[in-house]
Structure formats: C-alpha cells, structure tokens
C-alpha cells in the first residue's frame, strides 16, 4: 500500500504544480478569470482528496479503500466519456492528419494507457490480501469501525455538511445575468493607446461571479480587474492608426450588442468597395451543415486581401471566433463558409468582411448576424 500512497501523494503535488506552471505560461491569456477560478477549485479539491487517500492508504484505513474505489470508478467513467466526446469533435479533421503518428499517440494511445492504469489500480484494490489490509471482509468490520470511529465520523459528516452548504451558497447564481452597460476608455483612441472596456454586469455567483469575456475575431480576452459588478477588459495590443475593431461582451448566456472602435479612413482614390453580400441559406437551422457567404469586392487597383471575421455564442454561454482569408472565385466575387456541424439551436453568429487594396485603402461591411433555429 506504500506504493499507492506515494502515487496518490505525487498525484496531488503534480496537479497543483501543473496548474502553477500553466498559469505561469502564456496560455491563460486566452481564459477568463471565471474559468481560472474553476481550474483552481478543481485542483484544490482533487489535491485534498488525493492527500487524504495517501494518508488512508499508508495507514490502512477502511474509509480510504472505499474512497479509492469510488474515485477510480468515477475517473474511469469520466475518462471514457471525455475521450469519446473528444473523438467526436475530431471527426471532421482531414484523414491525412488522422493517420499521422502524433495524432494517433495523442488521441488513441495516451487515453488508452490512462484507462489501463486506472483499471489495474482498481483491480489491485479488489485483491483479497489488499482488502484484508484495509479490514474489508472481516466479521462485523463495518459495525466495529462505526463504533470505534463514531466521533471521527460525526466530525467528518459535519465538515461535509458545512462544505456542501458553503458550496451551494457560493456557486448558486444570485440572479439572472444581465449586461447593464458597456463603455470604453479612451472613447476616441489614438495610435499606441491601450483600450480598456468596462462592462457593468449583474448576476452570477458569490464565488465565481460571472463568466465574462471580451471577444473580437480570433481573440478572447479575460477580465483584467473587477470592482463590484463592473468588469474591466484590456485589449491585448495597443490601438493602431487607421484601423477599426469590432467586439462584443459575453457574460454567461448573454451577449451584448456589437461595438466598434475607431474609424478607417476610406478615401475614394481607388473606389474600393464591398457590395452584394449574400448569405446562403438566409435562415440556417441546426440541420444546416454550413453557411456560405459571398460578396463583390471591386477596386481600381489590385486587391491585396479580403478577410472574413466571425464570432458565435451559444445560449449556454460558450462560443468562439475566427478570422480567415476569403477565396476568390472570379468576377470580383469572394466567398467563405461558416461550418455549423456542432452548433446548437439558439447559437448567435456575427460576421463581417474587410478588404484592403495595394494602395492601403480599406473597406469594411456592417456586422451581419443570424441565429440558428430548429428545423420546422
């Protein structure tokens, strides 16, 4: 049992160390404080359970055997479910990638090895000599354990009740989430300025607050500071001259209107313009696999680039964004598609088109939007 105790102890320390290393890297800039709090809470709870398990295994305590079996069983179920879900999201990946060795190792071999390790430990805990070590199977073992550890069990039960009460209070939303107002500083940014967006948001829970984020094509910025119900967000990069950004505030299952920063200087020297923006189909449903967006882009000089920017938000508060170059299909027409394979009913999609010609002139369309519905 000493080996299992050491493994449980190492697992607890490794989990916290991994989280600290992760936070020290550049990855957390893509996460909101809400999800960072969830990661910390999960890591702390798991560390407490594993440290308790290590102590119980080392001492041969009866309750640690039950705790170990329960944790392993739940772990196997969650691991299988998570792996199958992950495989489902990768079903649309190209076959060339699926046949590569890194893909096979990451998607199949590593999850299988983890499952085997879980299974071997669970099998080992059911061996007769191991159960004897923990006092399992001895006459009146449960009754004697309860009598001898009555005070301990009462104390543990009281602690669990208190923790459960605190969690229910701390994680229960205090009311419906609502984006009350959105403002930005400075209102008219100059080149090199750092732009801060302040959103007043009500609702959320005492522990986690609101899952709020600033979203613009290709980027998700988390909360940089919070004062009561006012959430501040700072754009990653300083404002550039002659540029224009559009963004929304996402909070829980709510999404703000579209806001724009700056104005592109649009001269008429090259007559750059974007017209005839067509969305097919006009009213997509969850049965629609993709939406095609096409537009006419014309200029007196060569067009350098036509960019398609989009964002989407689900009713449950999830979402994503992206930016890609549109494909030319001749006759001044450019096209791109929005894949809807895993979008659910109620998902709101925003998009716009931006074009630049060789003179540096820029043109942008208004922001278009549609909401997915169930098929009639």
């Amino acid at each position: 049992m000493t080996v299992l105790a050491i493994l449980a102890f190492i697992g607890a320390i490794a989990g916290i160390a991994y989280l600290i290393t992760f936070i020290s890297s550049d990855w957390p800039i893509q996460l909101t404080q809400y999800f960072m709090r969830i990661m910390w809470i999960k890591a702390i709870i798991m560390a407490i359970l594993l440290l308790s398990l290590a102590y119980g295994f080392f001492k041969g305590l009866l309750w640690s055997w039950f705790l170990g079996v329960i944790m392993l069983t739940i772990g196997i179920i969650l691991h299988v479910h998570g792996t199958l879900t992950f495989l489902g999201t990768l079903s649309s990946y190209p076959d060339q990638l699926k046949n590569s060795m890194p893909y096979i190792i990451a998607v199949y071999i590593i999850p299988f090895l983890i499952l085997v390790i879980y299974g071997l430990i669970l099998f080992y805990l059911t061996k007769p000599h191991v159960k004897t070590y923990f006092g399992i199977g001895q006459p009146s073992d449960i009754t004697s354990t309860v009598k001898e550890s009555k005070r301990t069990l009462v104390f543990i039960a009281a602690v669990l009740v208190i923790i459960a009460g605190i969690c229910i209070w701390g994680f229960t939303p205090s009311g419906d989430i609502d984006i009350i107002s959105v403002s930005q500083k400075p209102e008219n940014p100059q080149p090199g300025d750092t732009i801060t967006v302040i959103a007043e948001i009500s609702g959320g829970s005492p522990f986690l607050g609101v899952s709020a984020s600033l979203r613009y094509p290709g980027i998700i910025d988390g909360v940089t500071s919070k004062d009561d119900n006012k959430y501040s967000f700072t754009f990653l990069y300083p404002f550039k001259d002659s540029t224009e950004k559009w963004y929304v505030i996402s909070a829980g299952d709510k999404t703000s209107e579209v806001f724009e920063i700056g104005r592109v200087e649009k001269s008429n020297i090259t007559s750059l313009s974007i017209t005839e923006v067509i969305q097919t189909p006009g009213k997509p449903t969850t049965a629609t696999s993709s939406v095609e967006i096409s537009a006419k882009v014309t200029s007196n000089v060569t067009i350098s680039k036509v960019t398609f920017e989009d964002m989407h938000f689900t009713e449950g508060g999830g979402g994503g964004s992206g930016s890609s170059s549109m494909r030319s299909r001749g006759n001044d027409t450019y096209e791109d598609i929005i894949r809807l394979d895993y979008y659910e009913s109620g998902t709101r999609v925003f998009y716009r088109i931006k074009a630049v010609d060789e003179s540096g002139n820029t043109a942008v369309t208004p922001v278009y939007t549609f909401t997915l519905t169930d098929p009639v």
Side-chain angles (χ1 to χ4, degrees), residues 166-238:
I166 293 175
C167 288
I168 292 173
W169 169 79
F171 295 117
T172 301
S174 57
D176 291 337
I177 295 174
D178 185 28
I179 302 174
I180 300 171
S181 64
V182 177
S183 61
Q184 70 183 49
K185 295 180 180 179
E187 292 184 3
N188 299 304
Q190 301 300 312
D193 284 348
T194 297
I195 302 171
T196 299
V197 177
I198 301 173
E200 185 177 357
I201 306 171
S202 62
S205 64
F207 281 175
L208 297 177
V210 175
S211 173
S213 59
L214 167 72
R215 299 184 182 231
Y216 49 103
I219 300 292
I220 301 175
D221 284 348
V223 179
T224 53
S225 65
K226 180 179 179 294
D227 181 15
D228 292 330
N229 63 337
K230 292 186 177 180
Y231 295 73
S232 296
F233 311 86
T234 302
F235 277 82
L236 283 177
Y237 306 105

Side-chain angles (χ1 to χ4, degrees), residues 337-354:
I337 61 173
I338 304 174
R339 296 194 177 278
L340 307 176
D341 301 288
Y342 301 103
Y343 289 12
E344 58 191 39
S345 178
T347 299
R348 297 179 65 194
V349 179
F350 300 86
Y351 66 89
R352 78 169 188 177
I353 300 170
K354 180 170 67 174

Side-chain angles (χ1 to χ4, degrees), residues 16 19-20 23 36-45:
I16 297 296
L19 184 58
I20 293 174
I23 292 173
M36 291 300 295
R37 290 174 190 169
I38 291 178
M39 290 178 66
W40 268 114
I41 291 170
K42 285 183 176 179
I44 291 172
I45 291 175

Side-chain angles (χ1 to χ4, degrees), residues 172-367:
T172 301
S174 57
D176 291 337
I177 295 174
D178 185 28
I179 302 174
I180 300 171
S181 64
V182 177
S183 61
Q184 70 183 49
K185 295 180 180 179
E187 292 184 3
N188 299 304
Q190 301 300 312
D193 284 348
T194 297
I195 302 171
T196 299
V197 177
I198 301 173
E200 185 177 357
I201 306 171
S202 62
S205 64
F207 281 175
L208 297 177
V210 175
S211 173
S213 59
L214 167 72
R215 299 184 182 231
Y216 49 103
I219 300 292
I220 301 175
D221 284 348
V223 179
T224 53
S225 65
K226 180 179 179 294
D227 181 15
D228 292 330
N229 63 337
K230 292 186 177 180
Y231 295 73
S232 296
F233 311 86
T234 302
F235 277 82
L236 283 177
Y237 306 105
F239 188 71
K240 295 181 180 179
D241 193 15
S242 298
T243 59
E244 184 177 46
K245 291 182 181 292
W246 63 290
Y247 68 90
V248 298
I249 297 296
S250 174
D253 59 349
K254 301 294 177 62
T255 304
S256 72
E257 61 180 292
V258 176
F259 296 92
E260 292 182 308
I261 303 176
R263 290 290 181 270
V264 175
E265 295 295 332
K266 304 178 180 69
S267 67
N268 292 320
I269 298 175
T270 60
S271 300
L272 177 65
S273 65
I274 305 173
T275 59
E276 300 181 31
V277 178
I278 300 174
Q279 172 188 310
T280 308
K283 295 182 179 180
T285 68
T286 51
T288 307
S289 60
S290 63
V291 171
E292 181 180 297
I293 309 297
S294 64
K296 287 273 189 179
V297 183
T298 56
S299 175
N300 294 338
V301 298
T302 303
I303 295 172
S304 302
K305 189 175 185 180
V306 180
T307 305
F308 182 77
E309 302 174 334
D310 70 289
M311 293 188 285
H312 70 274
F313 303 93
T314 66
E315 288 187 331
S321 61
S323 178
S324 60
S325 296
M326 298 187 74
R327 299 176 298 277
S328 173
R329 67 180 189 190
N331 297 323
D332 301 324
T333 301
Y334 290 78
E335 65 179 11
D336 207 332
I337 61 173
I338 304 174
R339 296 194 177 278
L340 307 176
D341 301 288
Y342 301 103
Y343 289 12
E344 58 191 39
S345 178
T347 299
R348 297 179 65 194
V349 179
F350 300 86
Y351 66 89
R352 78 169 188 177
I353 300 170
K354 180 170 67 174
V356 180
D357 61 26
E358 64 179 6
S359 71
N361 194 29
T362 302
V364 293
T365 67
V367 176

Side-chain angles (χ1 to χ4, degrees), residues 140-162:
S140 304
D141 52 356
I142 298 295
T143 304
S144 60
T145 300
V146 171
K147 289 181 178 179
E148 294 172 3
S149 309
K150 188 174 182 179
R151 288 186 178 180
T152 303
L153 292 174
V154 170
F155 174 76
I156 293 174
V159 171
L160 290 176
V161 169
I162 293 173

